[in-house]
Amino acid sequence: MRRMIVVGRPNVGKTLFCLSFAEFLGMQSVNMNFVSCDRGCTSRTISLSEAKTLLAGQREHQTLDLQSMILTLPWGKGRKQFELIDTTGLADSIDFEPHIRKAMAHTLQCMRQADVIFHILDCSQVARLGFLKGIGEIDCQIAEFGQLKKGYVILANKIDLPYAAEGLERIIMEFPGHKVIGISALTKSGFKEVKEIARKFV
Amino acid sequence: MSREIITMVENGEVTVSEALSLLRKVGMGSDQPKQEPARNERIAAIKQQLDSLIGLHSVKELINEIQAFVEIQQRRAAFNLAADPIVLHSIFMGNPGTGKTTVARIIGQLFLEMGVLQKGHLVEVERADLVAEYIGQTAQRTREQLRRASGGILFIDEAYSLARGGEKDFGKEAIDTIVKTMEDQRSNLVVILAGYSAPMEDFLETNPGLRSRFPIIIRFPDYTTFELFRIAEQMLQQREYQLSKAARRKLLAMIEELKRTDSVNFGNARTIRNIIEKAIRKQAVRLVNLNSPTRAQLMEIAAEDLQEVRDD
Ligand SMILES: Nc1nc2c(ncn2[C@@H]2O[C@H](COP(=O)(O)OP(=O)(O)OP(=O)(O)O)[C@@H](O)[C@H]2O)c(=O)[nH]1
Ligand SMILES: [Mg+2]
């Protein structure tokens, strides 16, 4: 089973993307595995609407566990399973909090083992703060790392927000040679194309 | 190895960015290339060299296509199938410092390994190397360069300057001589015309015969902010220097600013080289009066060492 991992800086919308994408693929609830780096693994079945209010949020580092779920995609005459993993936001600076550093290390570990990387950027940030503040060195490093994988796609998120289109344009310009899809985890715009890509790698 | 890198993140010894860059070097471990026959292995090594150039995605892709095409034409020929003649004369368009010469050199090696060229070396020339002042001498001078390049690549920088000065200019004579030799020496010479995009387009427009003789056009894009940053990092790494955290931030901001304010001339690695070389000198001045600087100090470029460099 292919393992697809969702990475990016804190608060770019990784969690909301995962949950909305599961919804887009026709799920109402998912069995979510929470894999913590030190507290082991717990699992619970949760409705997607509840998960959205519970797990996605304004706070940076809302997500500190790896949250994985098994989803399916149409494949040939039947369907094929894959694992979608939500991760802790990766930041440019070294965090003061040991548990956050640990969670980021855990994310890196998981990135190494993944087959496909969905790299989420925030278009609205780029539009609002300019390229360098809206995107970090970390994003360029993730993009480079992504080339080692079977699949690597940039999802330029929050395209629904004002001026995000400009941000998307800049992202496309700055990541030549990479597939960039403009999406909104909120409105699910662009998800059809994400699904097509996922089908290619599943 | 990768475990240790990840533990360093946990301990707060490196940033995630640094860790990713280290992990990339360690490689993935799993997808090791299979043992290949020697020739393929050498070709793979050359392509690896190409791949390791920062940026230049479209260029790499095109060269991949060319390599595949040549390979298949050769195999078709081996089965006596109709094979297209392999014409590899090319036009390289792009701003200075975008990697044209480097790529030309690698292509030479690639064609050598593929058996397209006998030597694969690169002879770089410009107008003055081809055009003489007196009548009759230009053809001779040009032929001399063509002889040197035989078996390899003749790389003509700012090729459009050959068309400078109109009908009476001897540049035309140089062009005619080159084209004639290309036709005679079909298989053992590759000619590359290089230069800025706009004048090159004009040049081709006014010399319509050239386009068909140079079927491959490779456009070299300006480097992006991050690509330039990584080029800087690579230059420093090769010299065994390192940017401090603050210096990384400052350098990124400098590049971004240069790109924003000077987008016509900037976008090339040369300015980056100047900034880096200047920084290395500044660092030396900063350290020279210290009693016994440590190894770490000797390696570190601080934010204050980075300064604007006027490109003139
Ligand atoms: N308008 C808009 N808001 C979004 C979109 N995607 C996410 N958000 C909001 O952005 C905030 C962060 O979303 P999360 O999904 O929690 O982000 P995350 O990347 O998982 O963040 P961490 O787990 O903290 O790293 C939430 O308030 C979301 O509602 C989008 O496409 N459009
Ligand atoms: Mg999250």
Side-chain angles (χ1 to χ4, degrees):
Chain A
M1 183 167 56
R2 289 267 188 265
R3 188 177 266 192
M4 307 194 186
I5 187 175
V6 178
V7 299
R9 299 215 290 173
N11 229 14
V12 293
K14 297 177 293 299
T15 302
L16 193 59
F17 166 74
C18 289
L19 299 171
S20 290
F21 193 54
E23 218 166 45
F24 185 76
L25 296 180
M27 317 281 284
Q28 264 105 51
S29 63
V30 287
N31 185 7
M32 182 89 76
N33 264 313
F34 300 85
V35 188
S36 146
C37 39
D38 39 19
R39 280 165 291 116
C41 177
T42 55
S43 150
R44 88 183 244 219
T45 302
I46 184 169
S47 83
L48 285 169
S49 55
E50 189 188 347
K52 280 185 186 176
T53 42
L54 212 62
L55 302 175
Q58 289 288 343
R59 215 150 43 89
E60 289 210 344
H61 292 308
Q62 180 90 18
T63 310
L64 281 171
D65 296 333
L66 297 181
Q67 300 170 352
S68 90
M69 48 192 164
I70 308 293
L71 302 174
T72 66
L73 277 165
W75 175 260
K77 289 203 181 90
R79 299 182 75 81
K80 197 163 173 184
Q81 288 192 320
F82 68 99
E83 189 179 7
L84 186 68
I85 306 178
D86 181 19
T87 62
T88 303
L90 297 173
D92 275 307
S93 52
I94 294 174
D95 207 284
F96 291 115
E97 296 282 347
H99 72 280
I100 290 182
R101 292 203 303 267
K102 218 166 184 179
M104 289 203 236
H106 197 195
T107 297
L108 280 184
Q109 177 69 19
C110 189
M111 249 173 103
R112 262 181 65 75
Q113 295 159 355
D115 302 297
V116 177
I117 295 180
F118 289 119
H119 178 185
I120 304 214
L121 301 177
D122 183 341
C123 299
S124 67
Q125 288 261 28
V126 176
R128 214 151 36 85
L129 305 174
F131 180 66
L132 262 196
K133 292 220 181 69
I135 285 179
E137 190 199 337
I138 181 84
D139 288 307
C140 126
Q141 295 289 1
I142 294 173
E144 279 308 304
F145 188 81
Q147 297 190 332
L148 301 174
K149 297 292 179 181
K150 281 194 190 58
Y152 168 79
V153 192
I154 294 176
L155 303 180
N157 191 30
K158 307 201 187 180
I159 195 74
D160 58 290
L161 291 175
Y163 306 111
E166 286 166 33
L168 173 62
E169 236 172 73
R170 184 73 204 271
I171 290 169
I172 290 172
M173 213 176 83
E174 290 290 336
F175 290 95
H178 292 297
K179 176 95 191 143
V180 179
I181 306 176
I183 64 160
S184 164
L186 198 63
T187 67
K188 303 196 179 77
S189 98
F191 273 33
K192 236 178 110 186
E193 206 177 335
V194 180
K195 182 176 163 187
E196 280 318 301
I197 295 274
R199 264 162 52 92
K200 220 169 79 193
F201 296 120
V202 81
Chain B
M1 191 59 205
S2 66
R3 274 248 156 250
E4 287 153 30
I5 296 167
I6 287 168
T7 311
M8 274 161 37
V9 175
E10 250 184 78
N11 297 342
E13 289 158 8
V14 295
T15 64
V16 176
S17 288
E18 288 159 344
L20 278 171
S21 141
L22 290 170
L23 284 172
R24 199 152 29 91
K25 280 178 207 123
V26 174
M28 297 306 297
S30 52
D31 342 6
Q32 291 292 335
K34 294 181 273 312
Q35 264 315 105
E36 285 169 320
R39 172 181 183 266
N40 287 354
E41 207 168 280
R42 284 198 306 273
I43 290 175
I46 293 164
K47 284 174 73 178
Q48 168 65 38
Q49 217 179 325
L50 181 70
D51 280 339
S52 70
L53 298 179
I54 289 166
L56 301 176
H57 298 277
S58 51
V59 175
K60 292 171 186 171
E61 207 168 302
L62 185 55
I63 291 175
N64 247 331
E65 281 172 21
I66 295 169
Q67 188 244 334
F69 172 75
V70 172
E71 179 84 41
I72 292 305
Q73 292 308 319
Q74 287 174 339
R75 294 209 193 158
R76 284 175 62 96
F79 281 104
N80 285 325
L81 287 167
D84 273 340
I86 305 174
V87 183
L88 296 168
H89 305 300
S90 314
I91 292 172
F92 282 16
M93 295 191 205
N95 286 329
T98 48
K100 294 191 288 290
T101 319
T102 313
V103 168
R105 200 160 274 133
I106 293 176
I107 289 186
Q109 291 309 305
L110 188 63
F111 290 166
L112 170 68
E113 289 303 342
M114 297 193 72
V116 177
L117 292 173
Q118 277 165 19
K119 294 191 201 147
H121 64 301
L122 187 76
V123 174
E124 258 187 280
V125 297
E126 49 184 45
R127 184 187 152 95
D129 302 307
L130 301 171
V131 178
E133 276 134 68
Y134 302 105
I135 195 156
Q137 289 182 350
T138 294
Q140 194 187 343
R141 192 175 281 193
T142 302
R143 270 198 297 271
E144 173 54 30
Q145 299 296 352
L146 286 161
R147 214 169 4 252
R148 278 178 60 211
S150 176
I153 292 181
L154 182 69
F155 183 91
I156 308 176
D157 207 9
E158 303 209 35
Y160 34 75
S161 63
L162 292 175
R164 197 173 64 192
E167 272 305 308
K168 285 223 198 70
D169 186 74
F170 297 138
K172 178 123 190 356
E173 196 178 335
I175 298 176
D176 293 342
T177 310
I178 292 164
V179 168
K180 183 160 184 315
T181 307
M182 278 164 51
E183 242 113 86
D184 299 344
Q185 276 208 28
R186 247 184 202 296
S187 58
N188 201 22
L189 172 73
V190 167
V191 180
I192 295 177
L193 306 181
Y196 291 95
S197 310
M200 188 64 90
E201 300 275 13
D202 289 346
F203 178 55
L204 295 175
E205 199 100 325
T206 47
N207 295 269
L210 289 180
R211 189 137 264 178
S212 60
R213 294 191 163 95
F214 292 86
I216 300 171
I217 297 186
I218 305 188
R219 293 170 203 277
F220 288 70
D222 282 354
Y223 289 114
T224 66
T225 301
F226 278 137
E227 285 166 357
L228 288 168
F229 178 74
R230 291 194 23 246
I231 287 170
E233 244 190 339
Q234 198 180 55
M235 286 174 181
L236 285 167
Q237 222 165 39
Q238 282 160 0
R239 294 167 170 76
E240 300 199 23
Y241 284 90
Q242 242 168 18
L243 292 166
S244 73
K245 299 250 151 60
R248 291 170 92 81
R249 272 197 300 278
K250 177 159 178 195
L251 181 59
L252 263 171
M254 278 170 72
I255 294 172
E256 177 73 357
E257 184 60 17
L258 277 165
K259 248 185 131 45
R260 206 177 54 75
T261 53
D262 194 18
S263 59
V264 198
N265 295 314
F266 194 63
N268 63 63
R270 222 157 283 168
T271 315
I272 295 297
R273 181 178 301 279
N274 294 341
I275 291 175
I276 293 306
E277 282 169 0
K278 177 109 182 178
I280 288 176
R281 292 195 295 274
K282 284 277 163 198
Q283 186 243 32
V285 171
R286 177 166 61 82
L287 294 182
V288 76
N289 289 325
L290 288 188
N291 248 337
S292 45
T294 62
R295 178 184 157 89
Q297 281 176 319
L298 289 168
M299 282 184 73
E300 182 169 279
I301 299 290
E304 59 188 286
D305 301 329
L306 289 166
Q307 290 185 354
E308 296 276 329
V309 179
R310 285 275 130 237
D311 212 15
D312 32 33

